Amino acid sequence: MKHKARKRFGQNFLTDEAIIGRIIDSIAPGPGQLIIEIGPGQGALTRPLVESGAEIHAIEIDRDLAAQLPARLGHPSNLALHEADALETDLPAISGGRNYRLTGNLPYNISTPILFHILGQTQLPLDIHVMLQREVVKRIVATPGGRDYGRLSVMVQNLCEATPLFDIPPQSFDPPPRVDSTLLRLTPRDRPLVEAPPHLLDQVVRAAFAMRRKTLRNSLARLIDEDSIRAAGIDAGLRAEQLSIAEFDALARQMARHSVS
Ligand code: SAM
């Protein structure tokens, strides 16, 4: 069953058995668990996941790969294949409301939208192990003050504890991607770090980083006036990358006060 990798689906298949073993050890799958895998491809991770005895739900957009995968793995009874776009999939509906874990060697071209989609679910996974571009992982774990710090850092850290586990070189894949990868563990928090209504936090963070070179007074002008920024205890002369998550929270809560008054 030879498959030619499709670029438009971000297909870089893991072929390095040692790396696959380390990834599976990090996930530690086992009987009684329900694991959703995004993008099983040719089953490099799906096979050991299935062999662990966990109930595996794999979501694959490529019709050919989806059709071939059960046969490739010998039609295991604990594998359910969903031929679908992960970006449009309701994950708790797949798990039937049960606790679920999530994993995937994500297609690089849409890894950030997939992460936001996962973190926007009504029921979050117990944990998430994903392979991402190393640069994306750097942005996720970045702290204020640097170029890597942005919307992705604030929104992911607000919801999850993020732990980079190890790097994976391009040679571990076929075809090799042009970038290094990192296995990242995200553990959703019991509740978000901050209290602001999520849609307001998203609005203010998005606006601030859309014009990250400008001061808040300018980048947020359409959302919140300078007096209100000051009333939130924030210097309107700062730029987005200088603000902690708690400070974005203060701005979003100030906006909430305004929208009800
Ligand atoms: N898990 C396999 C591995 O590690 O060898 C394949 C990883 S490959 C980087 C990404 C996989 O995600 C491919 O199988 C691709 O077809 C699939 N994919 C791409 N976009 C997708 C989407 N929107 N929804 C579900 N699967 C997708």
Side-chain angles (χ1 to χ4, degrees):
M1 276 185 245
K2 188 81 186 123
H3 174 83
K4 191 167 177 314
R6 293 189 166 119
K7 229 182 175 160
R8 71 176 184 284
F9 291 143
Q11 293 177 352
N12 300 97
F13 300 108
L14 272 167
T15 50
D16 182 333
E17 288 300 332
I19 289 286
I20 293 170
R22 284 182 73 190
I23 295 167
I24 296 297
D25 286 348
S26 301
I27 301 173
Q33 301 176 11
L34 191 161
I35 305 181
I36 298 180
E37 185 191 5
I38 293 181
Q42 304 183 94
L45 298 172
T46 325
R47 183 186 298 277
L49 287 172
V50 161
E51 284 169 359
S52 78
E55 178 181 331
I56 308 300
H57 289 259
I59 307 169
E60 176 57 63
I61 199 171
D62 184 318
R63 191 181 298 177
D64 297 336
L65 288 178
Q68 291 162 8
L69 190 61
R72 268 182 214 276
L73 303 184
H75 297 284
S77 59
N78 55 337
L79 171 67
L81 206 89
H82 305 261
E83 186 200 313
D85 182 345
L87 282 172
E88 312 222 314
T89 304
D90 178 343
L91 303 175
I94 284 191
S95 79
R98 283 181 290 159
N99 282 337
Y100 65 101
R101 307 180 70 198
L102 189 131
T103 191
N105 171 14
L106 296 186
Y108 291 150
N109 46 352
I110 51 165
S111 59
T112 309
I114 289 184
L115 267 186
F116 277 113
H117 179 71
I118 296 168
L119 296 178
Q121 299 294 300
T122 50
Q123 181 198 346
L124 295 186
L126 293 175
D127 59 14
I128 300 165
H129 290 83
V130 278
M131 262 131 296
L132 296 165
Q133 252 173 278
R134 206 158 77 110
E135 295 310 309
V136 174
V137 172
K138 275 202 205 151
R139 282 165 47 209
I140 288 174
V141 301
T143 49
R147 281 188 49 194
D148 288 332
Y149 184 64
R151 175 175 173 238
L152 193 59
S153 333
V154 174
M155 301 314 280
V156 175
Q157 291 174 33
N158 184 38
L159 295 176
C160 302
E161 211 174 299
T163 317
L165 296 177
F166 55 87
D167 291 340
I168 306 172
Q171 313 83 270
S172 298
F173 302 85
D174 180 27
R178 271 188 306 229
V179 291
D180 281 326
S181 309
T182 300
L183 177 65
L184 175 73
R185 175 182 294 147
L186 294 175
T187 312
R189 305 179 190 282
D190 290 339
R191 63 178 69 89
L193 270 186
V194 303
E195 287 172 10
H199 71 285
L200 292 180
L201 184 70
D202 188 51
Q203 252 183 36
V204 74
V205 169
R206 208 186 266 269
F209 284 109
M211 292 185 236
R212 60 185 299 143
R213 300 253 142 261
K214 301 209 169 160
T215 59
L216 299 173
R217 147 181 329 114
N218 291 315
S219 59
L220 299 183
R222 301 176 71 185
L223 289 179
I224 175 169
D225 61 38
E226 194 168 340
D227 286 345
S228 304
I229 296 178
R230 212 172 303 121
I234 311 291
D235 174 354
L238 294 176
R239 282 176 287 122
E241 67 189 34
Q242 296 171 285
L243 256 54
S244 67
I245 300 179
E247 288 169 321
F248 280 114
D249 176 53
L251 287 172
R253 282 191 286 129
Q254 186 67 29
M255 279 166 59
R257 263 177 232 126
H258 275 247
S259 52
V260 290
S261 59

